[in-house]
C-alpha cells in the first residue's frame, strides 16, 4: 500500500509522478555536499499543472505527490509524514482552496510568503493550489512571480480543469510541467467504493455507472439518500414539462433543492463559526477595553458574514451545476440513442426512458434541449440570477 493507491484510474500519471518523486529524493541543493547526489534536472521540476475533468482526482494526485516528496520512503502511506500531508496538517505543505467564488491576491500572497522560507521538517516547501482556475488576475500575477523566481526548495502544484487560458494564464502554464488526468473508468471507481469505503458491490457498481466518472459524486450517491433523491428529481424534469405551470414548478423545485443543500451543508457550520468567533472575541466580557474589543468583534463578524455568504453562493451554484450536468447527460443519452451509436450511457439506469424519448422525439429536438442546458450553465458562470437562468432553460426544454 502506498499514497498512489489514492489516485484512481491514472496509471500513466502515477508512473510519471512516482519517477519525479524518486528523482527528487536525490536532488541536492546549492548548499549541499557536492557528493550528495545529482543537481535538479528534468526528473523533477518546481512547478506542476494538474489538469483533468471534474472528478478525475486532480487534487488527490497532487496531494499524493506532495506526500511522496516529503516521505523518506517515497510515499509509504504508513508514516506520520504521509498521514499529516494527506490530512492537510503538514507544516511544509500549504494547501490553498476556496469555498467562495475566487481566490484573492491576499490569500495567495500570504501562502507564497510562507512557502518562500526554508522547510522546517522536510526537504521541500510544497504549495498546493486546488482551484487555480478560480484565482483573480492579481492572484495569478502573484503566483506567476513566485513561479518565475522560485526558491530552490519550493514546489508549486496547481490544479485546474484544463490548460485553456480561461482556466490558467498562458504565462503560468508555460512555466509548469503539465500532468493531464483522464476520467476514471466506472469499474475502477466501483472497486474503490467496495474496497476503500466498504460499499456493497451492487450499490458501488450502480453509483460508479451514473457518476460520470466523478469519484466524489459516486461516493455521495452510494452513501447519501438525499443525493439520490435530488438526482431522481432532476431526471424527472424532462417528464414534468407538459404545461406552463409545470415549467415554473420544475424551476422552483430545482432551486429549492439547491437551497436545501446549502442549508444542510453550511447551516450548522455557519452557526458554529459564529459561536467560535464570539467566544474568541470575548463576548459578554466586562472591564477596560470592552468598547474597543466590541468594535474589533463587529469588524470580524462582517468579515465572517462575507466569507459565509460567498461559501453559500458557491455551494448553491455547485448544487445547481450538478443538476444541470445530470440533465445534460440525459439529453446526451437521448441524442446518442437517436443516432444509434453504441457508446456508454451517462444514465444507464434510465435506458428504457431514454429509448422512449429518442423514439418519440427528433434528434434535432434533443440537441436543442441539450444546448439549452449548456446555455444555462454558461449563464450561471456569468452571474445571471439562478432563478432567471433556470426558468429560461426549462421553458426552452418544454418548447423542444
Amino acid at each position: 500500500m502506498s499514497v498512489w493507491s489514492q489516485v484512481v484510474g491514472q496509471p500513466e500519471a502515477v508512473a510519471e509522478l512516482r519517477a519525479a518523486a524518486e528523482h527528487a529524493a536525490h536532488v541536492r541543493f546549492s548548499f549541499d555536499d557536492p557528493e550528495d547526489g545529482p543537481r535538479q534536472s528534468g526528473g523533477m521540476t518546481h512547478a506542476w499543472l494538474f489538469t483533468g475533468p471534474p472528478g478525475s482526482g486532480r487534487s488527490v494526485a497532487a496531494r499524493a505527490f506532495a506526500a511522496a516528496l516529503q516521505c523518506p520512503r517515497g510515499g509509504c502511506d504508513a508514516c506520520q509524514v504521509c498521514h499529516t500531508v494527506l490530512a492537510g496538517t503538514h507544516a511544509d505543505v500549504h494547501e490553498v482552496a476556496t469555498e467562495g467564488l475566487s481566490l484573492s491576491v491576499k490569500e495567495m500572497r500570504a501562502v507564497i510568503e510562507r512557502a518562500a522560507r526554508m522547510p522546517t521538517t522536510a526537504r521541500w516547501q510544497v504549495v498546493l493550489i486546488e482551484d487555480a482556475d478560480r484565482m483573480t488576475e492579481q492572484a495569478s500575477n502573484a503566483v506567476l512571480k513566485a513561479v518565475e523566481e522560485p526558491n530552490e526548495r519550493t514546489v508549486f502544484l496547481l490544479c485546474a480543469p484544463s490548460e485553456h487560458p480561461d482556466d490558467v494564464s498562458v504565462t503560468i502554464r508555460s512555466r509548469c510541467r503539465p500532468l493531464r488526468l483522464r476520467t476514471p473508468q466506472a469499474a475502477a471507481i466501483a472497486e474503490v467504493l467496495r474496497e476503500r469505503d466498504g460499499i456493497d458491490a451492487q450499490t458501488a457498481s450502480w453509483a460508479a455507472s451514473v457518476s460520470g466518472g466523478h469519484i466524489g459524486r459516486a461516493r455521495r450517491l452510494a452513501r447519501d439518500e438525499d443525493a439520490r433523491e435530488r438526482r431522481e428529481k432532476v431526471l424527472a424534469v424532462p417528464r414534468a414539462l407538459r404545461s406552463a405551470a409545470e415549467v415554473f414548478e420544475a424551476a422552483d423545485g430545482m432551486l429549492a433543492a439547491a437551497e436545501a443543500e446549502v442549508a444542510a451543508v453550511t447551516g450548522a457550520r455557519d452557526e458554529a463559526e459564529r459561536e467560535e468567533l464570539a467566544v474568541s472575541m470575548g463576548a459578554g466580557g466586562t472591564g477596560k477595553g470592552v468598547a474597543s474589543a466590541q468594535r474589533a468583534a463587529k469588524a470580524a463578524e462582517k468579515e465572517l458574514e462575507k466569507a459565509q455568504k460567498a461559501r453559500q453562493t458557491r455551494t448553491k451554484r455547485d448544487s445547481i451545476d450538478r443538476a444541470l450536468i445530470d440533465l445534460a447527460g440525459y439529453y446526451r443519452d437521448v441524442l446518442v440513442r437517436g443516432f444509434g451509436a453504441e457508446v456508454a450511457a451517462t444514465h444507464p439506469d434510465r435506458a428504457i426512458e431514454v429509448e422512449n424519448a429518442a423514439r418519440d422525439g427528433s434528434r434535432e429536438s434533443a440537441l436543442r434541449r441539450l444546448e439549452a442546458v449548456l446555455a444555462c450553465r454558461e449563464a450561471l458562470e456569468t452571474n445571471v440570477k439562478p432563478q432567471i437562468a433556470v426558468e429560461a432553460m426549462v421553458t426552452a426544454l418544454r418548447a423542444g
Side-chain angles (χ1 to χ4, degrees), residues 321-339:
D321 194 58
R322 281 193 294 272
L324 295 177
I325 290 172
D326 280 340
L327 266 183
Y330 177 89
Y331 288 114
R332 174 262 187 196
D333 286 354
V334 173
L335 186 62
V336 165
R337 193 69 193 91
F339 278 105

Side-chain angles (χ1 to χ4, degrees), residues 61-80:
R63 197 171 293 111
F65 184 42
L69 289 175
Q70 306 292 42
C71 174
R73 295 190 289 275
C76 65
D77 198 25
C79 67
Q80 184 180 9

Side-chain angles (χ1 to χ4, degrees), residues 111-127:
V111 172
I112 290 168
E113 182 180 345
R114 291 200 304 273
R117 303 168 188 163
M118 291 292 291
T120 57
T121 62
R123 298 190 78 223
W124 304 93
Q125 284 274 16
V126 180
V127 177

Side-chain angles (χ1 to χ4, degrees), residues 29 38 59 71 77 103 105 122 149 161 168 184 219 242 309 317 332 379 383:
F29 304 101
S59 60
C71 174
D77 198 25
L103 277 169
V105 65
E149 304 171 3
V168 181
R219 186 172 284 117
R242 294 179 292 271
K309 186 175 181 180
R317 288 190 181 182
R332 174 262 187 196
N383 291 324

Side-chain angles (χ1 to χ4, degrees), residues 339-376:
F339 278 105
E342 296 297 328
V343 296
T346 307
H347 300 294
D349 56 344
R350 289 293 192 282
I352 296 176
E353 185 180 327
V354 165
E355 176 76 31
N356 293 337
R359 185 189 63 241
D360 297 340
S362 66
R363 291 175 294 193
E364 292 79 6
S365 175
L367 180 59
R368 284 195 296 271
R369 286 171 168 144
L370 175 57
E371 289 174 338
V373 178
L374 299 179
C376 183

Side-chain angles (χ1 to χ4, degrees), residues 307-319:
Q308 289 180 342
K309 186 175 181 180
R311 183 167 64 207
Q312 291 165 4
T313 300
R314 179 174 175 181
T315 302
K316 181 176 180 178
R317 288 190 181 182
D318 287 349
S319 176

